[in-house]
């Protein structure tokens, strides 16, 4: 059985804020980084389930809170997709300095958009897994902000979002709303390198983000695989094991392909060396 050590790690982002995460260290250099969704945190499903499952297979995993969420420093901001991609950048840089090999970046819901944005900008990860990301970012806002949100934010400059009990949850400014509306998912998908393997997973009964959004990712990402989990909701409440298995199989397949390619390259170098000596 693989020995797993779990420890808390703090990483400073480019804005001087401390990002807090949990590393499940298996002793392997392979590392998968897991990103949570909107108003979520590293302790929520499916982040914990994915990290635990990967650890059992000897793959280290790091799940962390974006700035303004969970234990991390900073103020919560609506939108914020690009800045969260930069938080992910800080995390990746940290682990690369510590000799880890970033095997995959995984994002749930809004985190799915963040990992895709990251891949489109930096092109330095071989595998991206988008779980229940939203393709059409201009949709899905009325449920949180109200039907007349555009009129109210133009009139007042902000919207106070309250929960069902009428308690204040967070502030949406016109600037943060525009951050979301100007984040171009289609352009990001088209910019992802064809050598980067992308998996999109979506639940067929997702009431937060419609499953048809997953089909849009499949249209515009060149090296893409789509997996629909029948009956699953947005957080895969009753489908945690199935979700974890799909993610694990994809990560393992990519890792095995990489190891095979490295073996073939090693053999080729050996053959060339022998030929040069003859």
């Amino acid at each position: 059985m693989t020995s797993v050590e779990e420890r808390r790690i703090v990483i400073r982002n480019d804005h001087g804020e401390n990002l807090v995460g949990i590393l499940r260290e298996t002793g392997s250099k392979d590392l998968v980084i897991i990103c949570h969704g909107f108003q979520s945190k590293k302790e929520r499903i499916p982040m914990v389930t994915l990290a635990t499952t990967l650890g059992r297979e000897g793959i280290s995993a790091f799940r962390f809170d974006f700035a303004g969420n969970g234990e991390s420093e900073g103020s919560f901001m609506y939108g914020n997709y690009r800045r969260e991609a930069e938080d992910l950048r800080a995390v990746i840089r940290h682990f690369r300095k510590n000799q880890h090999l970033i095997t995959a970046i995984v994002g749930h819901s809004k985190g799915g958009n963040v990992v895709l944005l990251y891949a489109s900008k930096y092109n330095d990860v071989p595998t991206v897994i988008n779980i229940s990301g939203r393709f059409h970012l201009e949709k899905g806002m009325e449920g949180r902000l109200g039907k007349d949100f555009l009129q109210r934010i133009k009139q007042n400059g902000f919207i106070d979002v309250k929960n069902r009990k009428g308690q204040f949850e967070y502030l949406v400014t016109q600037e943060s709303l525009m951050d979301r509306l100007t984040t171009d998912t289609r352009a990001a998908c088209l910019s992802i390198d064809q050598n980067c393997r992308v998996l999109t997973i979506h639940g067929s009964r997702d009431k937060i983000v419609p499953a048809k959004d997953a089909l849009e990712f499949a249209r515009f990402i060149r090296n893409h695989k789509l997996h629909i989990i029948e009956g699953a909701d947005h957080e895969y409440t009753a489908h945690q094991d199935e979700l974890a298995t799909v993610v694990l199989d994809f990560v393992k397949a990519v890792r095995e392909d990489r190891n095979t390619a490295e073996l073939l390259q090693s053999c080729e170098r050996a053959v060339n060396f022998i030929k040069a000596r003859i």
Side-chain angles (χ1 to χ4, degrees):
M1 180 178 292
T2 302
S3 176
V4 178
E5 176 190 358
E6 190 168 276
R7 64 180 186 271
R8 186 174 182 268
I9 290 180
V10 178
I11 299 168
R12 190 171 290 271
N13 68 11
D14 291 341
H15 298 276
E17 299 159 334
N18 286 325
L19 308 176
V20 181
I22 302 296
L23 174 66
R24 286 183 65 84
E25 178 67 77
T26 66
S28 168
K29 287 188 177 181
D30 285 303
L31 177 68
V32 174
I33 297 174
I34 303 169
C35 303
H36 65 75
F38 179 78
Q39 273 201 304
S40 187
K41 54 186 178 180
K42 61 186 179 300
E43 284 80 19
R44 292 282 297 275
I45 60 169
M47 280 62 71
V48 174
T49 303
L50 294 175
T52 302
T53 301
L54 290 163
R56 288 185 189 136
E57 292 294 321
I59 302 169
S60 298
F62 182 71
R63 51 189 171 88
F64 73 100
D65 296 322
F66 286 113
N69 293 268
E71 292 185 90
S72 292
E73 294 178 348
S75 301
F76 174 81
M77 288 185 283
Y78 189 80
N80 222 30
Y81 291 85
R82 300 175 186 89
R83 184 159 166 172
E84 290 188 357
E86 295 309 310
D87 281 355
L88 176 56
R89 176 71 167 169
V91 169
I92 289 174
R93 284 201 308 258
H94 170 86
F95 283 106
R96 284 200 172 126
K97 287 179 182 177
N98 288 277
Q99 309 305 311
H100 278 90
L101 182 65
I102 310 302
T103 305
I105 51 176
V106 183
H108 173 246
S109 191
K110 182 186 178 186
N113 292 87
V114 171
V115 295
L116 291 169
L117 280 172
Y118 179 91
S120 72
K121 183 174 181 179
Y122 292 107
N123 185 31
D124 62 356
V125 290
T127 312
V128 177
I129 300 178
N130 159 38
I131 303 172
S132 305
R134 184 184 295 277
F135 188 88
H136 299 288
L137 292 180
E138 73 278 8
K139 297 182 180 180
M141 290 182 284
E142 289 186 355
R144 297 182 190 273
L145 308 183
K147 291 184 178 181
D148 59 344
F149 69 91
L150 282 175
Q151 180 182 344
R152 284 187 292 125
I153 208 161
K154 286 179 180 178
Q155 181 178 343
N156 302 318
F158 67 92
I159 294 174
D160 284 338
V161 177
K162 300 178 181 179
N163 60 22
R164 293 178 181 177
K165 295 181 180 180
Q167 299 168 327
F168 175 81
E169 279 198 319
Y170 56 89
L171 178 75
V172 178
T173 64
Q174 190 163 2
E175 180 183 5
S176 63
L177 178 64
M178 290 309 298
D179 180 274
R180 172 166 173 161
L181 293 175
T182 58
T183 298
D184 193 336
T185 306
R186 180 179 180 274
C189 290
L190 290 170
S191 298
I192 296 174
D193 189 271
Q194 62 182 358
N195 292 317
C196 177
R197 298 187 184 187
V198 180
L199 169 66
T200 292
I201 307 171
H202 217 103
S204 68
R205 293 190 179 181
D206 189 334
K207 294 182 179 180
I208 306 298
V209 179
K212 63 182 181 181
D213 275 34
L215 303 178
E216 295 297 291
F217 290 112
R219 284 182 62 199
F220 296 108
I221 300 174
R222 285 169 287 184
N223 192 351
H224 186 271
K225 180 178 180 181
L226 174 62
H227 188 103
I228 302 294
I229 296 182
E230 291 299 326
D233 61 15
H234 189 63
E235 291 204 338
Y236 302 83
T237 309
H239 296 79
Q240 289 290 292
D241 290 343
E242 186 175 352
L243 172 66
T245 298
V246 174
V247 170
L248 177 63
D249 288 348
F250 194 74
V251 171
K252 287 172 66 176
V254 172
R255 188 173 63 163
E256 288 167 6
D257 287 350
R258 183 198 70 208
N259 291 340
T260 300
E262 290 175 352
L263 179 61
L264 290 173
Q265 289 175 0
S266 179
C267 291
E268 185 178 356
R269 285 194 296 269
V271 170
N272 291 335
F273 176 77
I274 293 170
K275 286 181 178 179
R277 296 293 298 271
I278 295 176

